[in-house]
Amino acid sequence: MKIALVGYGKMGKIIEEISQKRGHEIVARLKETPTAENLNNPDVVIEFSVPEAAFSNIKACLENKIPVICGTTGWLGKREEIDRIANENETAFLYGSNFSLGVNLFFALNEKLADLMKNVDEYNCQLEEIHHIHKKDAPSGTAISIAEGIFKNNPKFDAWKLEETKDNQLGIFAIREDEVPGTHSVFYRSEVDEIEIKHTAFNRNGFAHGAVVAAEFIKDKQGIFTMNDVLGL
Ligand SMILES: NC(=O)C1=CN([C@@H]2O[C@H](COP(=O)(O)OP(=O)(O)OC[C@H]3O[C@@H](n4cnc5c(N)ncnc54)[C@H](OP(=O)(O)O)[C@@H]3O)[C@@H](O)[C@H]2O)C=CC1
Ligand SMILES: O=C(O)C1=N[C@H](C(=O)O)C[C@H](O)C1
């Protein structure tokens, strides 16, 4: 398969390596807005760039009828518009706040725990995410997905806030530390104890591997997909 990389930083370079090991050809490595010319006719675009460029990058690819896998976080205010553009152009789009198998299993575990806790008033709930100091957005896209999983299953919560909370808003602590690849925890705390579930990425390989598997899945498809479709979760 021919893959164009839009965004060629830490993630783009690992995705290149894993794609080539899986027999794919990288036909473009872009650090600028994609066009019909510089994309070089790929089967799929994998977009890991910066929050401020993601919307226009994805739009340009979809308008050229190229399916897009997007891992860039921090741009989701325009998500509905992107889904509409993908459908209008009869192509495919898949956004994942986190492409690793472990985090997608963790999302399912988080939803199950939220459901168990929905009628238990003794516990409050807080999230914590720790990332490297270069990260541009906060909270992480993964933390937002975890929060949304809690809202879906526990009607006590319907919004998140980047600070400690005591009401129906879920507090998220975003910590920036050294070169941490990505650690996410959910805490349920009572007067007498605490339940914690935690995912720790040791490096970026799991994110990159998942993005390439998602690209293999989306090739020649039409519609809006998630990692649950890819992983059969
Ligand atoms: N969903 C997931 O599983 C994961 C998501 N991420 C997310 O992916 C994104 C990228 O992460 P990471 O690779 O670590 O970040 P980097 O900062 O290492 O890379 C970003 C790349 O985007 C390039 N870039 C800048 N402007 C544009 C533009 N207009 N068009 C295209 N490319 C551009 C940068 O070029 P230059 O260096 O010249 O500025 C750089 O090559 C972030 O939003 C991060 O949160 C990260 C890991 C996993
Ligand atoms: O910026 C990162 O590095 C990461 N970003 C994603 C996010 O915002 O959740 C995924 C992963 O945690 C690494």
Side-chain angles (χ1 to χ4, degrees), residues 140-206:
S140 67
T142 306
I144 295 173
S145 298
I146 294 168
E148 286 168 351
I150 294 171
F151 304 157
K152 195 166 117 187
N153 285 293
N154 186 339
K156 267 192 282 189
F157 300 104
D158 57 10
W160 55 263
K161 216 175 180 179
L162 268 174
E163 60 191 58
E164 190 168 357
T165 55
K166 293 217 183 308
D167 53 16
N168 287 1
Q169 295 196 329
L170 201 54
I172 305 182
F173 295 90
I175 298 165
R176 298 290 169 261
E177 203 175 285
D178 305 328
E179 296 297 333
V180 175
T183 302
H184 293 88
S185 306
V186 182
F187 301 95
Y188 288 90
R189 228 167 256 154
S190 77
E191 297 278 319
V192 294
D193 59 6
E194 178 176 86
I195 300 167
E196 175 184 355
I197 56 170
K198 179 175 183 179
H199 178 274
T200 307
F202 299 150
N203 53 50
R204 294 184 172 82
N205 294 354

Side-chain angles (χ1 to χ4, degrees), residues 71 73 97-98 131-132 135 137 139-143 181-184 204 207:
T73 51
S97 61
N98 195 308
H131 283 87
H132 53 93
K135 187 160 178 60
D137 53 320
S140 67
T142 306
T183 302
H184 293 88
R204 294 184 172 82
F207 311 141

Side-chain angles (χ1 to χ4, degrees), residues 6 22 35 47 70 84 88 94 122 136 156 159 206-207:
V6 176
R22 290 173 75 89
T35 64
E47 209 275 355
C70 173
R84 184 184 52 75
E88 270 173 15
L94 189 156
E122 286 85 346
K136 294 193 164 159
K156 267 192 282 189
F207 311 141

Side-chain angles (χ1 to χ4, degrees), residues 3 5 11-26 46 203-213 216:
I3 297 175
L5 300 173
M11 283 301 296
K13 289 181 179 125
I14 304 172
I15 290 169
E16 173 178 43
E17 208 179 301
I18 293 176
S19 299
Q20 288 170 338
K21 278 195 189 135
R22 290 173 75 89
H24 304 303
E25 183 190 356
I26 304 299
I46 303 184
N203 53 50
R204 294 184 172 82
N205 294 354
F207 311 141
H209 179 268
V212 178
V213 170
E216 291 165 356

Side-chain angles (χ1 to χ4, degrees), residues 44-59:
V44 177
V45 161
I46 303 184
E47 209 275 355
F48 279 75
S49 65
V50 288
E52 58 275 20
F55 174 78
S56 54
N57 287 348
I58 301 162
K59 182 171 181 282

